[in-house]
Amino acid sequence: MGRIIALANQKGGVGKTTTAINLAASLAALEKKVLVVDADPQANATSGIGVDIKKVEVTIYDCLIDGKSPREALVPCSIEHLMVIPSNIDLVGAEIEMLDMPEREKILKKVLAELRDDFDYILIDCSPSLGLLTVNALTAADSVIIPVQCEYFALEGLGKLLNTIKIIQSNLNPALEIEGFLLTMYDARLRLSNQVVEEVNKHFQQMVFKTIIQRNVKLSEAPSFGQPAILYDAESRGTVNYLNLAQELIEKNEIATKQAQEN
């Protein structure tokens, strides 16, 4: 059964979509079956992974609002083992349309239940808000990765996100775990970057991924070519960082599965 991981932070520009695309591509390169669910109306994960939004016929919107099967929405990518359920601008209206639907917080959970056994990892790229779409993603997920950029306002707003996660654990998804805090946009030359790393590690200790994503030009360029960094430049620092993160995630989950079996 696949592990569903939401990438969430209501703050924009923290590296959520970059992480969704590149972590997914790295997991696929390590021969895991991976699905990216683009739950952001901006559809950056869709285009960044190389899917032409104009040619997409069925999106996550159609699955959530019109009850289309998620199998109809699956689009293969240029990396083996990697698929995406695309998004488009229609998703902007989904939150309002979902308001009157029964069990509105669990719609995405039901959609993904159909696909769970087909993939090792399902990554949900959330929109930069704590609206109903993000609540759906956190209700559907087993865990959440929280990207934190190594910049001045890094910790601002994290309290609100953690509060939302607590509410969801209490009311909608008691099994939801924090997979980890991921430090992104790290620049070793800046004292501020190092202070943020220190601060996040002090606050969240074991919950912080050992892998840190460094600032990298190739990572920024790759989406405009519709490619994950691993295809755009396999040798780049960004590619290596995300391969290390994928490896860390796999090992962490293998240890957790083993422990669960022993208990």
Side-chain angles (χ1 to χ4, degrees):
M1 195 161 77
R3 186 165 182 80
I4 301 177
I5 303 175
L7 288 107
N9 191 331
Q10 76 275 25
K11 213 166 168 299
V14 298
K16 254 193 325 289
T17 302
T18 302
T19 298
I21 295 169
N22 290 294
L23 175 56
S26 299
L27 287 165
L30 296 168
E31 301 196 339
K32 298 292 178 189
K33 287 182 183 161
V34 189
L35 172 65
V36 173
V37 179
D38 192 348
D40 183 351
Q42 294 175 69
N44 291 338
T46 302
S47 59
I49 227 161
V51 174
D52 184 347
I53 297 168
K54 295 185 198 76
K55 290 182 182 165
V56 165
E57 286 175 22
V58 181
T59 68
I60 190 66
Y61 171 86
D62 301 301
C63 302
L64 295 170
I65 304 300
D66 300 330
K68 286 260 174 86
S69 163
R71 295 193 187 282
E72 291 179 52
L74 291 174
V75 179
C77 302
S78 45
I79 292 178
E80 207 186 342
H81 308 305
L82 177 59
M83 298 191 98
V84 64
I85 293 184
S87 169
N88 64 13
I89 198 69
D90 291 351
L91 200 58
V92 166
E95 299 212 338
I96 294 162
E97 292 175 69
M98 287 159 83
L99 284 176
D100 296 327
M101 293 168 84
E103 295 204 292
R104 61 189 182 191
E105 295 91 355
K106 296 183 178 174
I107 301 167
L108 183 59
K109 184 177 186 163
K110 287 172 187 157
V111 168
L112 296 182
E114 214 180 302
L115 298 171
R116 198 171 184 143
D117 293 337
D118 300 352
F119 294 93
D120 297 310
Y121 290 94
I122 297 176
L123 303 183
I124 309 170
D125 184 32
C126 297
S127 60
S129 76
L130 292 177
L132 191 50
L133 282 171
T134 299
V135 168
N136 260 268
L138 294 171
T139 304
D142 299 305
S143 63
V144 54
I145 289 176
I146 302 169
V148 180
Q149 87 282 38
C150 297
E151 285 171 9
Y152 188 63
F153 292 114
L155 299 176
E156 206 177 62
L158 271 189
K160 205 177 259 182
L161 175 62
L162 294 172
N163 207 28
T164 302
I165 289 169
K166 263 194 198 115
I167 292 166
I168 284 166
Q169 286 166 331
S170 309
N171 302 314
L172 294 162
N173 184 3
L176 180 67
E177 299 168 0
I178 292 178
E179 189 74 50
F181 291 84
L182 175 67
L183 290 155
T184 62
M185 303 180 194
Y186 173 74
D187 186 339
R189 297 165 304 179
L190 301 179
R191 188 196 297 166
L192 180 62
S193 272
N194 294 302
Q195 282 172 341
V196 172
V197 170
E198 219 171 282
E199 195 80 356
V200 171
N201 277 305
K202 193 170 81 188
H203 277 295
F204 303 111
Q205 297 161 355
Q206 304 306 315
M207 294 160 86
V208 185
F209 282 105
K210 292 185 182 73
T211 306
I212 295 177
I213 309 301
Q214 292 161 288
R215 266 199 184 284
N216 181 241
V217 175
K218 302 289 185 191
L219 268 185
S220 313
E221 287 174 357
S224 59
F225 291 88
Q227 290 182 329
I230 201 165
L231 289 183
Y232 181 63
D233 183 349
E235 313 271 293
S236 73
R237 191 184 290 166
T239 300
V240 173
N241 287 167
Y242 277 109
L243 278 167
N244 289 341
L245 177 65
Q247 199 68 58
E248 188 178 345
L249 183 68
I250 291 166
E251 282 166 16
K252 192 177 171 194
N253 283 304
E254 280 171 357
I255 291 166
T257 307
K258 208 172 170 186
Q259 284 171 344
Q261 285 165 350
E262 284 167 5
N263 296 335

